[in-house]
Amino acid sequence: PTAPVAVAGATGFIGRRLVARLRRDGVAVRALVRDRERGREALGDRVELAVADAESGDGLEEALEGCRHAFFLVHLMAGANEGYAERESASAATFAKAAAASGVERVTYLGGLGGNSPHLTSRRMTAEALREHGPPLAEFWGAPQDAEEESMIFQRPARRPAIPAIESRRVPEEKKLAG
């Protein structure tokens, strides 16, 4: 059997749709969820669930074990106003470290292009944390049509352009110094 693809944030708006699409395409999916019951309600009983928390790190390495590819779709903005960007960035670093320790070969991340709103700033901080601490990162950046739609970027994603970023790789310090 092929290695499952891990999806962190699988019960969110984008995550639910990604899991459904991967399953339709015959891809084995391991949905990382904080609450098994909520995960089962959101995703049904044909998806493998693994209980893990990107914020605390609880269960992450075990949940990612055996996965070669992971999607990071965690978004902590809901229900938390002050400090969510820092929490989200720290969660991304925790996830990236666990992914590297578990042998994940690539992480895919969806961010948002646009202005300097707190929301989009947090998306950039999250990408930086994933890039710095984890396996190679494939980034996709969705673009709002205008400033008013910035907050709507994830509500109607099929109508937004997405720009794949060139794969990011960390450069070892010795190569940076060598020129």
Side-chain angles (χ1 to χ4, degrees):
T2 60
V5 171
V7 180
T11 61
F13 184 83
I14 301 293
R16 286 191 318 270
R17 285 152 182 78
L18 175 63
V19 167
R21 177 58 187 258
L22 291 171
R23 298 259 313 125
R24 264 195 317 273
D25 290 348
V27 176
V29 176
R30 182 177 300 154
L32 280 57
V33 298
R34 287 178 289 175
D35 180 307
R36 186 176 299 279
E37 186 174 312
R38 180 171 175 237
R40 191 59 64 217
E41 287 173 12
L43 302 170
D45 57 2
R46 294 183 181 217
V47 175
E48 178 187 354
L49 300 181
V51 177
D53 188 314
E55 233 182 324
S56 69
D58 292 343
L60 273 180
E61 284 190 32
E62 297 84 357
L64 293 166
E65 195 67 42
C67 296
R68 295 179 57 205
H69 185 187
F71 285 86
F72 186 81
L73 303 174
V74 173
H75 198 27
L76 300 173
M77 189 173 166
N81 295 325
E82 201 64 36
Y84 73 85
E86 292 77 14
R87 287 177 48 227
E88 194 166 272
S89 179
S91 295
T94 299
F95 178 86
K97 290 173 187 174
S102 299
V104 171
E105 297 171 11
R106 177 183 314 280
V107 172
T108 298
Y109 174 69
L110 173 65
L113 293 174
N116 290 319
S117 70
H119 171 239
L120 293 176
T121 298
S122 78
R123 303 279 72 200
R124 287 189 295 275
M125 289 171 57
T126 298
E128 288 170 16
L130 291 167
R131 220 178 289 119
E132 181 180 341
H133 298 287
L137 180 66
E139 303 171 51
F140 290 85
W141 294 89
Q145 298 299 315
D146 57 41
E148 183 178 315
E149 291 185 348
E150 184 175 296
S151 64
M152 301 286 287
I153 193 166
F154 293 113
Q155 293 183 20
R156 293 179 292 158
R159 296 180 58 182
R160 303 292 178 261
I163 301 168
I166 295 172
E167 181 180 319
S168 316
R169 292 188 185 266
R170 286 176 281 132
V171 177
E173 286 300 317
E174 60 273 9
K175 287 190 179 180
K176 286 181 187 175
L177 298 175

